[in-house]
Amino acid sequence: CSTLLTFFYTDYIGVSVATVGIIFLLTRIFDGISDIIMGFITDRTKSRWGKARPWILWMSVPYAVTFVLLFLVPADASDMVQAIYIFVTYNLVNTVVYTALNLPYSTMASLITRDEKSRASTQAWRIFCGPGGKMIVTVSTIPLVQAFGNDQRSWIIVASIFAVIALILLLICFFNIEERVVIEAAKDRTFTVKENLKALFSNQYWAICLGLWGFMVMMSTVTGTIETYYCKYLLGDEGLYSPIYAAELISQCIVVMIVPHFVMRYGKRNLTLAGILLVIVAQVVWMSSPLSVPVAMVSGVLRGIGVAPLWACVFPMIADSAEFGQWKTHVRQDGMIFSAASVGSKLGGGLASAGIGLLMDSVGYDGTLAVQSAEAMDMIYNICMYAPIMFSVIIIILCLLYKLDKIYPQVIADLKERDTQG
């Protein structure tokens, strides 16, 4: 949402790119705090549907409604009023509604199964459908907006269509999943906030997953956002964004479904590491001919293949870290693990959006101008080409620190033995 939303705010409403970036960053900070709160709430939720599943039902309608509100910015209002409206609605969607929906949804990864291969396969389907849906939205949004009139009204129409589709899919999800991992001994034991935090911060693999998820989202946000401007100003046609981004997402979706078949043989860490190295290669390929659309498409395909293992493995890795945490500290905290790890993704997305906004504003970018300054053009180029390489290097370092794959079978064996002993 934030990638095209930035473009909507700056080029259709006329809001300063720096203002949008700062709002997104502040929202992500609040969002990270709400994630922690929602983690505690999820772990303490008791219903006939479980502790995570019911939130998918409860938040489906509020999410559809608040999503449309994002695009109802008063066009003729002052800059201050527009900024306040964007801040309030963006926080309402992300900090409140989406957190209460997505955090429990993510927690289901550790509640559906404990089997490593099944967990990887289940999450692969999630990641396949995620980028698949993102691809459909990303590729179709601008053409649909143009078809409906290419103004704010057209964005509202398109957003309403997507909101209805999202509502239907969320209800289908709720009625077709089930929580199967239930720790009987944990039903009668509620841990204090202090105990939960102590257990959380002693889990080194949770911390690594937080970083992986955060920088993964940061790289995705930067790529998805800056390519819109790159296509418009450097390639000369913003419509090129859809096929270039589609090339990346299609290849990513295909490879995501293949990755689980190699998890048991090579390990999640090693597959992720190999893929991220390919991302660096993809950027070098693009830099060899930066104004060539075919080369941009090839680079997108390579980058999609490269990021696929990380997208396919990061959520099973977080679920594995929940098992490791219970094994190490005797504290079971599925919701807390996923909520705290998601803080990395929220901050990563916010920092990426804010960083792009501040960097482009520093060189005088103005979305109301048809032609940008040479400094703005150089900034767009540098962010597009070099930012993914920088993030990739950090992800590689985190992968080298992750060694849970080797001990995971013993962790599960020990936990199953404890379960039998109550």
Side-chain angles (χ1 to χ4, degrees), residues 52-73:
R53 181 186 169 205
W55 289 98
I56 299 174
L57 174 65
W58 297 337
M59 289 294 108
S60 56
V61 172
Y63 178 69
V65 173
T66 55
F67 177 75
V68 178
L69 292 180
L70 291 172
F71 300 88
L72 296 176
V73 184

Side-chain angles (χ1 to χ4, degrees), residues 273-338:
L273 190 60
I276 293 301
L277 290 172
L278 183 59
V279 171
I280 297 177
V281 173
Q283 292 305 114
V284 174
V285 168
W286 198 355
M287 284 187 282
S288 68
S289 185
L291 299 182
S292 169
V293 175
V295 171
M297 297 281 286
V298 171
S299 176
V301 170
L302 293 176
R303 190 166 53 251
I305 295 172
V307 299
L310 177 56
W311 279 104
C313 294
V314 69
F315 297 107
M317 290 166 79
I318 296 172
D320 292 351
S321 74
E323 307 290 356
F324 174 81
Q326 183 190 353
W327 176 77
K328 181 178 181 179
T329 67
H330 295 264
V331 178
R332 183 76 186 190
Q333 44 182 190
D334 300 278
M336 190 63 185
I337 287 286
F338 275 91

Side-chain angles (χ1 to χ4, degrees), residues 387-413:
I389 295 178
M390 180 185 70
F391 296 136
S392 295
V393 171
I394 297 173
I395 291 172
I396 288 172
I397 294 173
L398 291 172
C399 283
L400 294 175
L401 296 173
Y402 185 91
K403 301 177 181 179
L404 181 55
D405 286 346
K406 293 182 179 180
I407 65 172
Y408 187 77
Q410 185 60 49
V411 168
I412 293 301

Side-chain angles (χ1 to χ4, degrees), residues 18 51 111 121 123 130 138 154 171 214 228 293 311 350 377 386:
K51 61 181 181 179
L111 297 175
S121 178
Q123 291 305 299
T138 301
S154 62
L171 293 176
T228 310
V293 175
W311 279 104
M377 300 284 277
Y386 295 109

Side-chain angles (χ1 to χ4, degrees), residues 118-348:
S118 297
R119 185 173 279 173
S121 178
T122 300
Q123 291 305 299
W125 275 105
R126 172 190 175 181
I127 301 304
F128 173 82
C129 294
K134 184 178 181 180
M135 178 191 67
I136 293 173
V137 171
T138 301
V139 172
S140 63
T141 294
I142 291 180
L144 284 173
V145 166
Q146 292 174 340
F148 284 116
N150 202 27
D151 54 13
Q152 183 181 6
R153 174 181 169 276
S154 62
W155 280 89
I156 296 171
I157 294 173
V158 174
S160 300
I161 294 172
F162 290 151
V164 172
I165 295 173
L167 174 60
I168 294 172
L169 293 176
L170 287 170
L171 293 176
I172 291 174
C173 175
F174 169 78
F175 286 111
N176 288 277
I177 58 175
E178 181 181 350
E179 295 184 16
R180 296 181 177 86
V181 177
V182 180
I183 310 301
E184 295 295 333
K187 286 184 175 180
D188 302 322
R189 175 73 162 93
T190 300
F191 294 97
T192 65
V193 173
K194 182 179 179 181
E195 289 173 323
N196 270 285
L197 291 176
K198 182 179 179 181
L200 181 69
F201 287 108
S202 66
N203 187 337
Q204 66 268 34
Y205 293 116
W206 158 77
I208 293 173
C209 289
L210 180 150
L212 287 173
W213 195 359
F215 285 105
M216 175 183 74
V217 171
M218 192 176 291
M219 181 163 62
S220 175
T221 301
V222 169
T223 300
T225 302
I226 202 64
E227 282 186 3
T228 310
Y229 298 95
Y230 192 93
C231 290
K232 181 175 181 178
Y233 296 109
L234 275 78
L235 299 183
D237 182 3
E238 65 187 72
L240 291 172
Y241 172 75
S242 294
I244 291 175
Y245 206 52
E248 177 178 342
L249 291 179
I250 290 173
S251 60
Q252 179 181 324
C253 290
I254 294 172
V255 176
V256 156
M257 297 307 299
I258 299 174
V259 169
H261 298 287
F262 297 94
V263 164
M264 300 305 295
R265 181 174 181 179
Y266 297 106
K268 293 183 280 292
R269 191 282 300 268
N270 293 337
L271 290 171
T272 298
L273 190 60
I276 293 301
L277 290 172
L278 183 59
V279 171
I280 297 177
V281 173
Q283 292 305 114
V284 174
V285 168
W286 198 355
M287 284 187 282
S288 68
S289 185
L291 299 182
S292 169
V293 175
V295 171
M297 297 281 286
V298 171
S299 176
V301 170
L302 293 176
R303 190 166 53 251
I305 295 172
V307 299
L310 177 56
W311 279 104
C313 294
V314 69
F315 297 107
M317 290 166 79
I318 296 172
D320 292 351
S321 74
E323 307 290 356
F324 174 81
Q326 183 190 353
W327 176 77
K328 181 178 181 179
T329 67
H330 295 264
V331 178
R332 183 76 186 190
Q333 44 182 190
D334 300 278
M336 190 63 185
I337 287 286
F338 275 91
S339 68
S342 73
V343 171
S345 72
K346 301 296 177 63
L347 289 178

